[in-house]
Amino acid sequence: MALAAPSSLRRLPTTPPHVPSPPCASRLRSRPLREPRLCHRLVAAAAAAATAPLASSSTTADTERRKHELLRAVQETRRGFAAGPDQRAAIEEAVVAVEERGAGEGTPLDLAALDGTWRLCYTSASDVLVLFEAAERLPPLQVGQIYQKFECKDRSDGGIVRNVVRWSIENLLEEEEGATLMVSAKFVVLSKRNIFLQFEEVAVENIKISEQLQALIAPAILPRSFLSLQILQFLKTFRAQVPVSGPERRSPGGLYYLSYLDRDMLLGRSVGGGGVFVFTKAQPLT
């Protein structure tokens, strides 16, 4: 026998009741963006932030390329002595190209970065080229490496600079580094990129005699006498110095413009037509 459905179940509607949409849904879908400019600015800022490292990397790569081209241009010039007029003009263009990548006129000189030893790669300064000319005319004379040593790490207004020239005399001193000529000067920072040099002393030191001369002074086959030992010791510790300033005479000086400086290259110009200098960072002198 079939059971009859309860009357309450028979009265349930056969279709689900209508659920109205939220009153603001259609308005939200059709509402225009109130601040499109803000959106554009945010997109532009995000794009700039994403491309900034790429731009910086590109600038750095271009700077390194220019430095490499400059060093390649001066490579066969024997530090400037063998450079002809056309070669000097090309080198000057390469120098200016690197200077364009410098920190700029308004950036203060970083004395902490300047501190240290810099090896000369090229110059057009006549007071340095005369050393190479002398070695060319006097074959026994040898001119080795030339350095500028700045001592200014903990300073903000200046420091000390030492011009160091390694030289030798064939058969008497060790090759190219048998002796050291050192010209010391104080310097003060005059402006963002200009320093003024005030020379104080010229010295000859670090005499290293050749094996031939040692054998002449104290032959190995004979017992070394007290006199021969004294001579050898005197030569090893010899230092002759001549002051170039004093109470009765004015110290010579010069204006020096540091046109480019980074971790491994220094470019300078002697103000007044004294020439250009190209240096690279070197190990500390011993």
Side-chain angles (χ1 to χ4, degrees):
M1 182 176 66
L3 297 176
S7 60
S8 61
L9 293 178
R10 289 196 301 269
R11 289 196 295 269
L12 289 175
T14 58
T15 58
H18 174 71
V19 180
S21 300
C24 61
S26 60
R27 289 197 298 273
L28 289 175
R29 286 194 297 268
S30 61
R31 181 182 298 171
L33 184 62
R34 293 184 176 181
E35 298 188 14
R37 293 182 180 177
L38 176 60
C39 181
H40 292 326
R41 287 199 296 269
L42 292 175
V43 172
T51 58
L54 296 177
S56 176
S57 176
S58 175
T59 300
T60 301
D62 183 61
T63 301
E64 293 301 316
R65 178 186 61 80
R66 296 185 185 202
K67 290 163 56 180
H68 176 74
E69 290 179 353
L70 172 58
L71 293 178
R72 185 172 57 183
V74 306
Q75 189 172 10
E76 302 297 332
T77 66
R78 295 169 59 189
R79 291 175 287 184
F81 177 69
D86 293 341
Q87 202 168 9
R88 289 191 184 279
I91 291 172
E92 176 65 22
E93 291 182 4
V95 168
V96 172
V98 176
E99 289 174 336
E100 291 175 351
R101 290 300 187 185
E105 295 285 344
T107 305
L109 182 63
D110 187 353
L111 292 184
L114 180 62
D115 183 82
T117 304
W118 301 85
R119 181 178 59 251
L120 179 70
C121 296
Y122 171 85
T123 186
S124 58
S126 58
D127 56 345
V128 179
L129 294 177
V130 69
L131 298 176
F132 305 139
E133 184 178 355
E136 187 75 11
R137 293 183 177 182
L138 303 172
L141 177 63
Q142 301 173 349
V143 178
Q145 295 293 342
I146 297 178
Y147 303 93
Q148 272 194 341
K149 181 183 179 184
F150 286 89
E151 301 171 9
C152 53
K153 186 175 182 180
D154 299 320
R155 300 283 299 274
S156 60
D157 57 346
I160 296 174
V161 58
R162 306 186 192 278
N163 296 311
V164 180
V165 180
R166 304 290 200 195
W167 61 279
S168 183
I169 298 177
E170 189 177 1
N171 297 325
L172 296 180
L173 304 177
E174 289 186 5
E175 187 174 354
E176 291 193 351
E177 296 192 353
T180 298
L181 173 67
M182 182 179 297
V183 182
S184 301
K186 289 183 178 179
F187 76 90
V188 293
V189 179
L190 295 182
S191 61
K192 301 295 184 181
R193 290 280 156 180
N194 286 304
I195 63 175
F196 182 76
L197 305 179
Q198 195 167 23
F199 297 99
E200 294 191 318
E201 180 186 88
V202 178
V204 176
E205 60 184 15
N206 297 333
I207 304 296
K208 302 175 183 177
I209 63 176
S210 65
E211 293 182 357
Q212 296 95 316
L213 184 56
Q214 289 188 47
L216 181 63
I217 296 173
I221 61 176
L222 298 176
R224 292 192 172 185
S225 65
F226 176 77
L227 178 60
S228 63
L229 292 175
Q230 287 293 99
I231 294 175
L232 293 175
Q233 183 63 24
F234 170 78
L235 292 174
K236 289 180 179 179
T237 59
F238 174 81
R239 188 178 194 271
Q241 59 189 50
V242 179
V244 294
S245 64
E248 298 182 357
R249 55 182 171 180
R250 186 178 180 182
S251 171
L255 195 60
Y256 196 33
Y257 176 67
L258 302 178
S259 57
Y260 181 86
L261 171 65
D262 67 8
R263 69 185 184 279
D264 55 19
M265 178 172 281
L266 170 65
L267 303 181
R269 293 180 180 272
S270 183
V271 178
V276 64
F277 298 84
V278 177
F279 293 93
T280 56
K281 200 65 178 286
Q283 295 296 321
L285 296 178
T286 57

